[in-house]
Amino acid sequence: MAAPGGPVERAGAVAGHGAQRGGPVEGQKFTPAGDHGGWRYGEDVVDKPGKGAFYATDLDLVLRTAGVTHLVLGGVTTDVCVSTTMREANDRGYDCLLVSDATASYIEEFKKATVKMITSQGGIVGKAAKAHAVVKALLNPPISFGKA
């Protein structure tokens, strides 16, 4: 790998089918934190060969090794790749939050229906919130008293 700030031989990206929309493709070089979505030197990047990011990848292993239990999701398309990844994550025990205004679909009605399905029955697949609410919650987490 090249030094930070220079071209990096791409290890992959959670882009797969989204590559035609500007994401990296297998074997492509990119500049960390540059024009390709803000990936940074040393970050884990996963090739996504299917619609969901967990299918035929080691994403679950990477997340569990890092102790991740909660995922915040966005991207395209809401009704295919994003919802598939969210369902796969939910099946693996992750708590999921969809940033509803950080997703898009070719057909707006499909996006609305997908968000409704994901959050139905009290959040059967996960919860959804607008970006401003997610940022506010991350900047002002609830007080945790823990053990005294």
Side-chain angles (χ1 to χ4, degrees):
M1 287 191 140
V8 174
E9 188 65 33
R10 197 176 81 60
V14 181
H17 288 82
Q20 67 272 20
R21 289 184 282 284
V25 294
E26 190 170 355
Q28 175 182 348
K29 293 184 179 188
F30 71 96
T31 303
D35 297 330
H36 301 284
W39 295 286
R40 291 181 175 84
Y41 181 79
E43 286 185 335
D44 290 311
V45 187
V46 180
D47 275 320
K48 182 178 81 75
K51 306 283 188 291
F54 288 87
Y55 169 73
T57 71
D58 60 356
L59 180 58
D60 188 42
L61 176 64
V62 170
L63 295 173
R64 291 193 189 283
T65 300
V68 173
T69 58
H70 294 68
L71 301 178
V72 178
L73 295 101
V76 293
T77 60
T78 313
D79 47 315
V80 181
C81 297
V82 177
S83 66
T84 300
T85 297
M86 195 165 179
R87 291 170 193 279
E88 289 176 335
N90 176 267
D91 283 346
R92 288 165 174 80
Y94 294 95
D95 289 319
C96 298
L97 174 66
L98 176 70
V99 183
S100 59
D101 54 346
T103 68
S105 177
Y106 293 109
I107 302 170
E108 185 61 27
E109 292 80 20
F110 288 4
K111 175 182 173 176
K112 290 177 184 176
T114 300
V115 173
K116 189 173 183 178
M117 285 187 286
I118 285 170
T119 59
S120 68
Q121 300 177 32
I124 193 166
V125 176
K127 304 289 185 181
K130 301 258 185 205
H132 68 85
V134 174
V135 170
K136 183 177 179 182
L138 291 172
L139 294 175
N140 302 296
I143 297 171
S144 175
F145 295 101
K147 293 184 179 181

